[in-house]
């Protein structure tokens, strides 16, 4: 079992930046594939970025060039640096973890077994 706790959300103006953190606790002796998802009101939860077992990073097209995902294994922490934020980035952001995720389906919610409670990001125009 792994517990995930997100932090770092907030309210910013368009063009601003935020850095989200996700701290993993519990059975962290095993390595996990980690990802950021987001869910806006009335919409499905969508994959934003992920780091898989081999260290490869993946991004949704909508955030490429603006968001950067990184992992600090020593601190069991996953980060999401978000720059040039837009109003359409407004959502609840969730951290997900899985023992294994195929590269081709990193963005699918059902691939992840563990979830945090989420942190709200609001971008105003």
């Amino acid at each position: 079992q792994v517990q995930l706790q997100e932090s770092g959300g907030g309210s910013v103006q368009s063009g601003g930046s935020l850095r989200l953190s996700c701290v993993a606790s519990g059975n962290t002796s095993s390595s996990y594939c980690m990802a950021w998802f987001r869910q806006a009101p009335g919409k499905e939860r969508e994959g934003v970025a992920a780091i898989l077992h081999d260290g490869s990073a993946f991004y949704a097209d909508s955030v490429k060039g603006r968001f950067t995902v990184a992992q600090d294994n020593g601190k069991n922490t996953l980060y999401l640096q978000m720059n040039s934020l837009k109003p359409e980035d407004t959502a609840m952001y969730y951290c997900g973890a899985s023992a294994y995720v195929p590269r081709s389906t990193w963005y699918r919610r059902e691939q992840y077994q563990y979830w945090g409670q989420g942190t709200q990001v609001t971008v105003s125009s």
Side-chain angles (χ1 to χ4, degrees):
Q1 288 284 340
V2 174
Q3 292 78 46
L4 304 173
Q5 180 64 60
E6 305 94 337
S7 63
S11 297
V12 297
Q13 291 190 328
S14 182
S17 297
L18 284 172
R19 188 177 80 156
L20 306 184
S21 299
C22 170
V23 178
S25 60
N27 183 18
T28 57
S29 60
S30 300
S31 62
Y32 292 88
C33 301
M34 304 285 291
W36 288 100
F37 280 69
R38 66 186 180 187
Q39 188 167 15
K43 294 189 177 182
E44 295 292 321
R45 189 173 296 190
E46 63 174 357
V48 175
I51 292 184
L52 302 189
H53 274 302
D54 61 359
S56 55
F58 296 84
Y59 297 92
D61 288 343
S62 59
V63 306
K64 282 181 181 176
R66 300 188 298 121
F67 290 11
T68 303
V69 62
Q71 192 169 29
D72 184 336
N73 291 324
K75 296 182 179 179
N76 294 322
T77 303
L78 181 73
Y79 300 100
L80 185 68
Q81 178 66 43
M82 305 186 295
N83 298 327
S84 302
L85 282 162
K86 304 175 181 180
E88 50 264 44
D89 294 318
T90 295
M92 185 72 79
Y93 283 70
Y94 297 92
C95 176
S98 176
Y100 174 73
V101 175
R103 296 167 67 93
S104 60
T105 56
W106 70 267
Y107 56 90
R108 290 189 177 176
R109 176 180 183 174
E110 61 267 26
Q111 296 286 359
Y112 300 84
Q113 292 80 47
Y114 305 104
W115 293 95
Q117 294 299 308
T119 186
Q120 178 67 38
V121 172
T122 302
V123 184
S124 59
S125 58

